[in-house]
Amino acid sequence: MKDKLILTVYIVYLWSIKLAGQNIALYEQFQGRYNFTFIGNTLNPQENTFMSSASILTTSSAQLNLSANDQIEKAYLYWAGCGPGDFEVKLNGVSYTSQRNFALQRISFFGNPLDYFSAFADVTTQIQTTGNGTYTLSDLDLNPWINYFFTEGRTNFGGWAIIIVYKNNNLPLNQINIYDGFRSIPNSVDITLNNLDVTDTNNAQIGFLAWEGDRGIQVNESLFINNNLIASPPLNPSTNAFNGTSTVTNSASMYNMDLDIYSLQGNIGIGDTTLPIRMTSDQDVVLINAVVTQLNQRLPDATVQVDLIESLCNFRDVKVDYTVYNTLGTLALPAQTPVAIYLNNNYFQTLYTQNAIAPGGSESGILNFILPQNLSSPFDLKMVVDENSSGQGIVTELNENNNTFTTTGYIDISPELIPPPHLLVCNEGDFKGTFDFSNYPDLVKQNATDDVRFYESESDLLSNTNEITNTNNYTALSTPKTIYVKVGHENCYQKTSFELQTRKCPPVIYNFVSANHDGANDTFHIAHLYHIFYNFRLYIYNRWGKLVWIGNNSTGEWDGYANKGLVVSNDEIASGTYFYVLELNDPEYPEPMTGYLYLIQP
């Protein structure tokens, strides 16, 4: 639109419809003696508004000049441009592939899509190794898309920047926040930076990495922080915040990219946790890629964590390993900071840190106590750092709402067990049986947290080997068989056992035989008989009462052939109705079982 200044406001607004993008959100936070800077350069040979024809470079350079005592902590490379994206570039000849991608799409006033991209790579190791000097980005080729974006509204651009966080022991204690995403204006965009805790407004700064801003377009283009109009003239006037400049190098020829740093003094207040930003533009397209804040902070931030709770089996002695941290603090946490202990939300006792804990540091301690008799396991253990026995804090902190750690403690008291009942199933032959004791854990456990395991021998139980896992379909090849049970925890448990037993179930007779050898009903099948009733006798009679077959435990099932009477080899008898007599010869089943069966021969 830059070359179409006579278009109506209606058309300007239509062109600025935003279809996609990523919110600006916190990426990383640093606490300590840190600050930040930018380096980078454009690939535009001139501002696109004033181009007579589209052109773009594939390489450009920038200079890094840190002081001798500055130690590079992190360095993040961003590159961006028009088009679907080029995600592989080189920095001083070292190849990088994008690790995080950003994308945004707009619709031109011609109704055509306009895609823009940004890419990210962590280049910390290279910048730490190289240090000060010239950095050249190359192999960023946007030429395939330049003409399209030039003719669709002159938003053809490309460039790169590195956000560098460095440490220097001479710096004050600062909080550095890096936020990134991909948002666009016109007409306006509101961004709220969170995770702030302003304790000191002196020397506070904010930096912007933005793309596609034009020095030659100044139509209601402004930057507001906490509703205050921001400017840094003459480089960044209040009417042209994003105008192809770098306040780091005082350059006004960045051509469609901005590396601007503004003072926040007078625009934030102590106690602020968020920072609202509004950017407006009625014509110029600006793409916000990253925002960096630097806040001077000089407060500790105490947190506490329980690392381990231990107790001896069947004793009420409890040992708690804990650690007090000052991870996000920018000032040492004083020695003798109280740590209040609560059991089931009732105050129990107070501990104290022994030494001053430096920013980023920690101190570990051990709490030993005997669990009061009026408390049972499990119990709630709460530790609150910077809280005395009256529930009051004594240290002013960065964050007063992150001092509590709550967890659940257990004392190892092994349960008193009642042996589960024996299991009795039908004998499947030779005292084999299939058992389901999958519900036994619920029968033996005393607490919901008890671990229940089953073993075939006591030695397996003691060594915790060969655990039985198929409890819903366990086959015992011989019965009676003892199953051993471990209940509790690995280091504190009780053991019990139960028996698997089998019984002689009544035989089940299937009185239809189709002796055609098709695999179905080929023999006179009687379930729960063979290898269970070892002395049984089975007699088969024809319709005239003549005995045609006698079977026992060793003969196998009747298959429609005679073995009694006048028998010719392979004497197949005729189809028809037959009568059977089954004598089990067992005291549990003294009466014979009789009935009819029907035989069909092929």
Side-chain angles (χ1 to χ4, degrees):
M1 170 173 297
K2 301 178 182 67
D3 59 343
K4 302 290 185 179
L5 299 183
I6 62 172
L7 290 175
T8 65
V9 173
Y10 172 80
I11 296 295
V12 171
Y13 284 172
L14 174 64
W15 191 90
S16 68
I17 294 174
K18 181 181 69 174
L19 297 185
Q22 290 80 52
N23 288 331
I24 304 297
L26 180 66
Y27 177 66
E28 192 161 4
Q29 185 177 81
F30 303 84
Q31 303 277 355
R33 300 185 186 279
Y34 294 107
N35 209 331
F36 76 96
T37 190
F38 297 127
I39 68 168
N41 206 348
T42 182
L43 295 178
N44 279 24
Q46 65 182 114
E47 188 174 304
N48 53 24
T49 303
F50 303 110
M51 286 183 178
S52 58
S53 61
S55 62
I56 193 80
L57 304 174
T58 59
T59 182
S60 64
S61 301
Q63 193 79 16
L64 176 62
N65 294 302
L66 294 176
S67 69
N69 295 325
D70 293 337
Q71 302 172 26
I72 296 168
E73 181 74 15
K74 286 290 182 180
Y76 296 135
L77 170 65
Y78 294 81
W79 67 95
C82 54
D86 181 353
F87 298 103
E88 293 185 5
V89 297
K90 291 181 179 179
L91 183 65
N92 283 5
V94 178
S95 296
Y96 288 97
T97 299
S98 176
Q99 298 164 346
R100 297 164 61 230
N101 299 334
F102 305 92
L104 187 146
Q105 188 182 79
R106 307 175 66 87
I107 300 299
S108 76
F109 71 92
F110 298 113
N112 297 319
L114 296 171
D115 291 296
Y116 308 93
F117 81 97
S118 172
F120 169 97
D122 188 331
V123 294
T124 301
T125 300
Q126 182 181 6
I127 305 301
Q128 288 175 333
T129 302
T130 305
N132 287 336
T134 301
Y135 288 87
T136 300
L137 186 107
S138 59
D139 287 18
L140 177 51
D141 188 3
L142 306 178
N143 281 290
W145 306 288
I146 290 301
N147 284 326
Y148 174 75
F149 281 82
F150 181 77
T151 58
E152 286 290 325
R154 297 205 179 190
T155 55
N156 46 296
F157 79 95
W160 62 278
I162 303 176
I163 298 175
I164 298 169
V165 177
Y166 60 90
K167 186 175 184 178
N168 190 318
N169 290 332
N170 295 318
L171 289 170
L173 293 166
N174 288 323
Q175 179 192 74
I176 306 295
N177 290 334
I178 298 177
Y179 306 82
D180 61 17
F182 215 31
R183 295 290 302 275
S184 70
I185 42 179
N187 299 314
S188 67
V189 63
D190 290 288
I191 298 171
T192 299
L193 305 184
N194 52 23
N195 293 86
L196 301 175
D197 199 340
V198 180
T199 60
D200 187 348
T201 63
N202 291 328
N203 301 314
Q205 298 184 99
I206 187 168
F208 293 87
L209 167 59
W211 309 103
E212 217 292 299
D214 292 87
R215 184 176 51 168
I217 299 178
Q218 303 183 38
V219 183
N220 193 29
E221 182 179 314
S222 299
L223 170 65
F224 297 87
I225 296 178
N226 262 332
N227 294 319
N228 297 326
L229 181 62
I230 303 299
S232 181
L235 203 61
N236 297 112
S238 61
T239 57
N240 200 3
F242 302 102
N243 55 355
T245 58
S246 169
T247 53
V248 178
T249 61
N250 202 38
S251 171
S253 57
M254 295 297 283
Y255 302 143
N256 303 111
M257 68 174 287
D258 282 85
L259 296 175
D260 294 323
I261 299 176
Y262 296 90
S263 172
L264 283 175
Q265 283 189 229
N267 298 299
I268 56 172
I270 293 176
D272 285 351
T273 58
T274 60
L275 188 63
I277 298 173
R278 166 166 285 199
M279 289 157 283
T280 65
S281 173
D282 284 351
Q283 182 174 323
D284 196 6
V285 176
V286 179
L287 308 176
I288 305 299
N289 201 168
V291 181
V292 187
T293 61
Q294 173 255 309
L295 301 172
N296 187 4
Q297 295 188 315
R298 303 181 61 83
L299 291 175
D301 186 34
T303 59
V304 65
Q305 177 176 302
V306 173
D307 303 310
L308 181 66
I309 301 178
E310 293 181 309
S311 68
L312 297 175
C313 185
N314 295 324
F315 287 91
R316 299 180 68 84
D317 300 76
V318 181
K319 175 183 175 237
V320 178
D321 295 338
Y322 68 93
T323 304
V324 176
Y325 295 91
N326 188 19
T327 305
L328 299 179
T330 55
L331 191 66
L333 182 70
Q336 297 299 302
T337 296
V339 182
I341 311 299
Y342 296 84
L343 299 178
N344 285 1
N345 280 325
N346 295 314
Y347 174 77
F348 182 63
Q349 68 179 87
T350 300
L351 309 174
Y352 296 89
T353 59
Q354 300 302 299
N355 304 290
I357 303 175
S362 64
E363 178 183 285
S364 296
I366 297 175
L367 166 65
N368 292 294
F369 66 92
I370 297 175
L371 189 69
Q373 290 295 328
N374 64 335
L375 297 181
S376 59
S377 180
F379 60 91
D380 291 332
L381 172 66
K382 181 169 68 174
M383 303 188 76
V384 186
V385 64
D386 188 27
E387 182 168 296
N388 58 24
S389 59
S390 300
Q392 303 297 316
I394 65 171
V395 179
T396 301
E397 300 181 61
L398 290 176
N399 186 353
E400 300 286 356
N401 299 315
N402 61 350
N403 293 357
T404 301
F405 187 93
T406 302
T407 187
T408 301
Y410 301 88
I411 55 172
D412 284 333
I413 305 295
S414 58
E416 296 184 6
L417 302 181
I418 299 174
H422 302 315
L423 274 179
L424 183 64
V425 299
C426 290
N427 186 349
E428 298 173 7
D430 296 329
F431 303 99
K432 173 184 174 183
T434 301
F435 298 84
D436 181 359
F437 46 94
S438 58
N439 65 324
Y440 271 36
D442 293 330
L443 295 181
V444 298
K445 67 169 54 177
Q446 305 300 305
N447 302 297
T449 57
D450 286 342
D451 187 28
V452 180
R453 299 173 183 263
F454 300 92
Y455 302 89
E456 292 183 329
S457 69
E458 188 169 11
S459 61
D460 284 347
L461 183 150
L462 295 174
S463 63
N464 198 30
T465 57
N466 302 318
E467 179 187 353
I468 298 172
T469 57
N470 59 331
T471 57
N472 64 329
N473 188 32
Y474 175 79
T475 299
L477 299 178
S478 178
T479 57
K481 181 179 182 62
T482 301
I483 299 298
Y484 297 86
V485 189
K486 177 189 286 187
V487 184
H489 300 284
E490 185 57 35
N491 298 318
C492 191
Y493 61 85
Q494 292 278 32
K495 57 185 180 179
T496 185
S497 64
F498 62 94
E499 270 196 358
L500 304 179
Q501 303 170 345
T502 57
R503 67 183 182 92
K504 297 176 181 178
C505 294
V508 179
I509 298 173
Y510 299 88
N511 56 358
F512 176 77
V513 180
S514 175
N516 58 3
H517 306 291
D518 64 353
N521 303 312
D522 288 334
T523 60
F524 182 29
H525 178 61
I526 303 177
H528 305 307
L529 177 63
Y530 291 86
H531 302 287
I532 299 172
F533 295 91
Y534 291 95
N535 298 317
F536 80 86
R537 290 290 184 273
L538 176 62
Y539 304 91
I540 306 294
Y541 299 87
N542 65 17
R543 72 181 67 182
W544 297 282
K546 181 180 178 180
L547 179 66
V548 296
W549 190 82
I550 297 178
N552 56 38
N553 196 58
S554 61
T555 60
E557 296 181 337
W558 182 52
D559 58 359
Y561 289 83
N563 66 4
K564 289 296 177 182
L566 184 60
V567 178
V568 181
S569 178
N570 295 326
D571 192 4
E572 182 180 87
I573 61 178
S575 299
T577 302
Y578 291 81
F579 184 77
Y580 68 84
V581 176
L582 175 60
E583 295 177 350
L584 297 175
N585 296 316
D586 187 282
E588 293 185 33
Y589 300 93
E591 298 297 325
M593 302 176 70
T594 62
Y596 292 93
L597 66 93
Y598 192 75
L599 170 68
I600 297 177
Q601 293 285 12

